[in-house]
Amino acid sequence: MDIGLTSGTCSNCKGLDACNKVCILHAGRALVNFITKADMIETRIGEYSSRKKGDKPDLVVYGHQLYDLKSPSWLLTDINTSLDASDKFRRLYDKTAFQIVSAYCKYVNMSSEETKEITDKIKKLNSNKLIILPFKPRTQCSIDYTVDGVTEKKKDAEIAYLKWVTNKENHKIECTIGFSVASATGNSTVKLPITDYISKFRLSQMEMQAKNNKYDKKMISINDYGIIKPIVVKQGNASVAIDSTYVYCSVGGETSIIGYWDEYDKLVLKPNIKSAALDKIKDNADYIKNHKRYIAPYLLYEPNIVEI
């Protein structure tokens, strides 16, 4: 991506708010916004324990279960189990997320304490000591599920628990949500992967808003880490992308910033830009806004591509 940058920072930059080149400072701002605004929960994944008090550790925490925000429980397995601690975010201009955030914090004169708090969160996210928490116990939802071959659609449900477990084959975190569903014979629990968000379960509040609006449900894609992928609307060889901070336009391999979310969560866009891809973003702006705190920074995370 050749946009006149040196080592990932703008040459002759007029400042973050005046420049439209996607340098590591813009990426840093987007990542800091994501890290500081998304709800997260601490885990003990990776910590060691033993079956008998005083014995040498022979167990490792490989999972986390949450029935109540104040009372999590931990799942243990054999100490030889491999756990993934790879970077959650992509490199940009050959720099890690840690380096990008450090450069941004220095540029905006953030204190060493604030900088350390943010970079520590990146380390903990990489090691799964922190997990993004977009959904919480007791949240009201609408779900679709199948029982005895019969599909029940848009049934009222409540999140009973969330459970994160390390898959012992690929060493990646997998998240399951347990929903409490009332029936004539009493409450039952329906389990769905978090990745079924939108397709098989929705937050009740979002469901009510969606009734009066035409949203493209393909715009929102969440993974097992609770992270919503940055959205890319692709139109031929051009695309428009959006995350929790900026709107981007890419043409012929060159990317520029064409808009941003303001302090009131309204999209501010450059005038006179005509694009079907941008129209798609604007048509779904309210829908995206309701999820934006959990949308990872564009170029630093695998995108959700929607073609038109």
Side-chain angles (χ1 to χ4, degrees), residues 90-271:
R90 291 176 168 179
R91 297 174 74 94
L92 183 63
Y93 303 117
D94 202 32
K95 290 179 171 56
T96 65
F98 184 97
Q99 292 170 319
I100 290 169
V101 162
S102 297
Y104 170 76
C105 291
K106 182 178 180 181
Y107 179 83
V108 297
N109 296 315
M110 195 174 290
S111 70
S112 57
E113 291 79 9
E114 290 176 301
T115 300
K116 185 177 185 303
E117 183 178 350
I118 294 168
T119 53
D120 280 354
K121 282 187 176 182
I122 292 175
K123 292 178 183 177
K124 289 180 178 179
L125 282 170
N126 287 340
S127 63
N128 301 313
K129 286 289 195 300
L130 273 179
I131 290 179
I132 307 290
L133 190 66
F135 312 121
K136 300 168 182 65
R138 308 293 173 262
T139 300
Q140 301 301 311
C141 298
S142 171
I143 72 170
D144 305 336
Y145 65 101
T146 302
V147 180
D148 298 329
V150 179
T151 300
E152 297 280 352
K153 286 188 170 291
K154 297 186 177 181
K155 298 288 290 185
D156 291 337
E158 182 180 88
I159 294 179
Y161 67 84
L162 297 98
K163 183 178 181 180
W164 298 265
V165 174
T166 303
N167 183 303
K168 293 184 179 181
E169 292 184 5
N170 62 21
H171 318 304
K172 302 290 186 180
I173 289 287
E174 294 178 349
C175 180
T176 301
I177 300 180
F179 298 89
S180 178
V181 183
S183 66
T185 57
N187 285 4
S188 61
T189 300
V190 176
K191 301 175 185 178
L192 293 173
I194 193 173
T195 52
D196 277 351
Y197 178 57
I198 301 298
S199 64
K200 292 187 179 179
F201 76 93
R202 287 79 48 193
L203 303 182
S204 295
Q205 184 179 3
M206 302 287 186
E207 189 88 319
M208 291 175 62
Q209 293 175 2
K211 285 182 180 179
N212 300 319
N213 298 278
K214 294 181 179 180
Y215 298 137
D216 187 343
K217 295 179 179 181
K218 296 192 299 291
M219 301 288 277
I220 301 299
S221 176
I222 195 167
N223 65 15
D224 282 290
Y225 296 103
I227 297 173
I228 295 176
K229 298 176 182 180
I231 303 157
V232 176
V233 179
K234 190 174 180 182
Q235 180 187 13
N237 67 344
S239 63
V240 175
I242 188 168
D243 58 23
S244 60
T245 302
Y246 294 116
V247 182
Y248 313 78
C249 180
S250 295
V251 181
E254 185 169 327
T255 302
S256 59
I257 293 172
I258 60 169
Y260 61 91
W261 294 98
D262 71 10
E263 59 183 314
Y264 304 105
D265 284 343
K266 298 292 184 183
L267 273 184
V268 178
L269 299 167
K270 283 190 172 184

